[in-house]
Amino acid sequence: MRRQAWVAAISTVVSAVLGLTWLGLFAVQPLLGFEDTDDPALGVAFVRAHPQVFALTGLALVVMAIALTISVASISEDNFVGSQRWPVTATTAAGLGAAVCFLVFGAMRVGASGPLLHIAGLSTEWGETVYLVVQIAGVQGVLPAGLLGLALWATGVSLLGLARRALPVVICVLGVVPALHVLVRLLGSSGLLPDGAWFILAASIPGTMLWCLALGFALVVRALRGTSTARERRPGRSGSESHP
């Protein structure tokens, strides 16, 4: 069980750090003067000027997806054993679905930069079409699905942790941040929110990543306490055994 606790803790921290790294890399494109990321001409120019940044955003997501898969499975097994099964199963499914979406989008970015530049060298219009395919299928398709799945998982973990008293209360309360992402995403797609609500949605993305990081640190503290307790309980550590 101690090993399981450490696996859950480390994988959660790694996935959160990589998620924040991806966000930083993703913001590089507009910061470097390529503001409209949906403009295929600007997009191809960015990939031509900074192919390593375009590929690194994908690599960060691929490794994040692997770490998130381990985190989701380990947390469910280590923290919610004995809980009613369907909430745990539904929460786990949301997290694993998010990992799949991140993996797909990351693989698209990693594999697209070389072929995109090659095709753009043959025809500018073809290169822009390839960029649009990656942009629509990735940024407008699987990426929002992955972020929604991650927010659903974080919300579910917060509710289960609060109900089972399996996680610190502050972590569970901070689960309101990913819950806001879910709420705004669902209501926004129904046209029930004003246009300004996009700011809440945008802010909830790094907020959800930071929640994952806070969860990871909480799990690290728990694993450290478990290791310390286990050492104290080893035979030969008690006073009666030390003084025959």
Side-chain angles (χ1 to χ4, degrees):
M1 292 299 291
R2 293 197 304 275
R3 179 179 298 178
Q4 187 75 16
W6 276 110
V7 169
I10 294 173
S11 60
T12 304
V13 171
V14 170
S15 63
V17 169
L18 287 171
L20 291 169
T21 301
W22 162 75
L23 280 176
L25 290 170
F26 201 69
V28 166
Q29 182 169 343
L31 290 176
L32 289 177
F34 303 87
E35 290 85 359
D36 188 356
T37 57
D38 289 331
D39 185 333
L42 283 178
V44 173
F46 172 75
V47 177
R48 184 176 286 115
H50 307 281
Q52 69 282 1
V53 176
F54 188 83
L56 280 174
T57 58
L59 182 60
L61 279 181
V62 168
V63 183
M64 173 194 174
I66 296 171
L68 181 61
T69 300
I70 299 171
S71 170
V72 169
S74 301
I75 288 174
S76 295
E77 184 176 341
D78 191 48
N79 290 273
F80 304 126
V81 175
S83 300
Q84 189 176 358
R85 293 309 304 167
W86 75 262
V88 178
T89 301
T91 299
T92 302
L96 294 178
V100 170
C101 290
F102 292 142
L103 180 65
V104 171
F105 181 46
M108 290 173 63
R109 283 250 170 172
V110 170
S113 58
L116 188 154
L117 292 177
H118 172 70
I119 294 172
L122 301 175
S123 168
T124 301
E125 291 77 10
W126 293 355
E128 293 177 1
T129 300
V130 173
Y131 179 85
L132 279 177
V133 169
V134 175
Q135 189 75 359
I136 297 301
V139 176
Q140 307 298 336
V142 291
L143 178 59
L147 292 172
L148 177 60
L150 181 65
L152 283 169
W153 173 72
T155 303
V157 168
S158 298
L159 293 174
L160 287 169
L162 189 62
R164 292 282 300 174
R165 298 183 181 179
L167 294 172
V169 174
V170 65
I171 298 295
C172 301
V173 172
L174 288 175
V176 69
V177 175
L180 276 176
H181 183 93
V182 175
L183 182 64
V184 173
R185 178 76 69 179
L186 296 179
L187 293 180
S189 62
S190 304
L192 299 177
L193 292 176
D195 293 338
W198 70 268
F199 177 78
I200 300 175
L201 184 65
S204 67
I205 295 174
T208 300
M209 300 293 183
L210 289 172
W211 179 91
C212 293
L213 187 61
L215 173 64
F217 284 142
L219 294 175
V220 167
V221 171
R222 173 182 291 180
L224 286 171
R225 289 176 178 172
T227 301
S228 176
T229 301
R231 287 175 178 173
E232 291 174 358
R233 290 178 178 175
R234 286 179 182 174
R237 295 275 180 175
S238 65
S240 58
E241 292 174 335
S242 299
H243 302 283

